[in-house]
Amino acid sequence: DGGITQSPKYLFRKEGQNVTLSCEQNLNHDAMYWYRQDPGQGLRLIYYSQIVNDFQKGDIAEGYSVSREKKESFPLTVTSAQKNPTAFYLCASSISLGGGVRGEQFFGPGTRLTVL
Amino acid sequence: AQSVTQLDSQVPVFEEAPVELRCNYSSSVSVYLFWYVQYPNQGLQLLLKYLSGSTLVESINGFEAEFNKSQTSFHLRKPSVHISDTAEYFCAVSDIRDDKIIFGKGTRLHILP
């Protein structure tokens, strides 16, 4: 079955540590996205990528980094510079960027990160 | 720039009663509109979308939404809710020029027995 997988589902980290969240898709989608979700704030875009080896900052990129070395993988690193990293992180993909049928986004199950 | 406003953060409704979740958007160009649903501790799933054509769009589980260009709205309705509809619902907008989808802050639907 095609889809998006995120691992782990729950992640705990000590303050000052970097941590990497995994996102893999087998939908052959070109575009991939990372969102952060906090209660009452909806989804906020962290980074997105349209093609391999290229990515753009979203609205809240500070304290995060990404890579896109393979089409199917888009890992997110939460660095120690991120002031409030505790949140629910969602990865998504779409056939291409933009709206309409090609821009419809498919989401993974999410990773809940807690900083201790 | 586009924006999406979901007017209610929470909506309580009795089981088998009708419900409307409100969504308004702002954009200077033609838009595409989406409703996504998120069940607890899961990712988002597309519920329905408006791209063009008929302004009334329906989902397979009884939800419908109507695109109203003059009122810049895309409200989601269901004539009779079930306990299984308990979830958070997100309205989203994009246009053909942009490279992102903008999400509203979500409306949490509580079904009361």
Side-chain angles (χ1 to χ4, degrees):
Chain A
D1 286 336
I4 302 176
T5 56
Q6 291 185 243
S7 60
K9 187 170 180 63
Y10 298 97
L11 188 57
F12 298 90
R13 162 197 127 173
K14 293 181 180 179
E15 270 192 61
Q17 288 180 337
N18 292 356
V19 63
T20 298
L21 282 59
S22 168
C23 177
E24 304 276 333
Q25 55 99 358
N26 60 4
L27 300 168
N28 199 34
H29 285 172
D30 288 315
M32 298 187 73
Y33 312 78
W34 273 107
Y35 294 92
R36 170 181 172 139
Q37 185 178 20
D38 296 283
Q41 296 196 46
L43 276 66
R44 292 184 289 169
L45 183 64
I46 305 173
Y47 269 98
Y48 61 104
S49 166
Q50 186 177 14
I51 57 174
V52 173
N53 293 323
D54 186 48
F55 46 83
Q56 287 78 43
K57 292 182 178 180
D59 302 316
I60 56 164
E62 186 175 351
Y64 299 97
S65 65
V66 292
S67 62
R68 188 84 186 278
E69 298 178 1
K70 299 187 295 182
K71 185 176 182 178
E72 57 271 21
S73 178
F74 191 41
L76 173 74
T77 296
V78 184
T79 75
S80 57
Q82 169 50 232
K83 301 299 182 189
N84 296 296
T86 294
F88 190 52
Y89 291 87
L90 288 162
C91 179
S93 71
S94 61
I95 294 175
S96 67
L97 290 176
V101 62
R102 295 180 65 79
E104 175 186 327
Q105 294 188 7
F106 295 80
F107 284 80
T111 292
R112 188 167 298 280
L113 172 65
T114 302
V115 174
L116 304 173
Chain B
Q2 303 160 68
S3 67
V4 179
T5 302
Q6 291 185 244
L7 297 164
D8 305 296
S9 60
Q10 297 191 62
V11 172
V13 60
F14 287 103
E15 197 169 11
E16 298 184 6
V19 68
E20 178 179 81
L21 306 183
R22 296 178 292 170
C23 173
N24 287 90
Y25 68 92
S26 66
S27 176
S28 58
V29 297
S30 296
V31 297
Y32 303 115
L33 295 156
F34 307 84
W35 274 100
Y36 284 82
V37 59
Q38 183 181 32
Y39 299 104
N41 293 310
Q42 295 185 26
L44 276 67
Q45 304 171 34
L46 182 69
L47 188 61
L48 47 75
K49 61 189 175 187
Y50 169 77
L51 304 179
S52 64
S54 173
T55 57
L56 185 66
V57 291
E58 298 176 351
S59 72
I60 59 173
N61 58 352
F63 283 95
E64 65 178 30
E66 186 162 18
F67 169 55
N68 188 320
K69 188 174 181 180
S70 62
Q71 297 187 7
T72 60
S73 68
F74 192 54
H75 301 331
L76 182 69
R77 301 184 184 95
K78 189 171 185 180
S80 175
V81 297
H82 301 286
I83 196 74
S84 59
D85 294 324
T86 298
E88 189 157 20
Y89 293 80
F90 293 90
C91 183
V93 63
S94 71
D95 70 58
I96 196 168
R97 308 170 308 168
D98 205 349
D99 55 7
K100 292 176 282 186
I101 293 179
I102 307 300
F103 288 86
K105 294 191 174 182
T107 297
R108 198 172 293 276
L109 180 61
H110 296 280
I111 310 299
L112 307 171

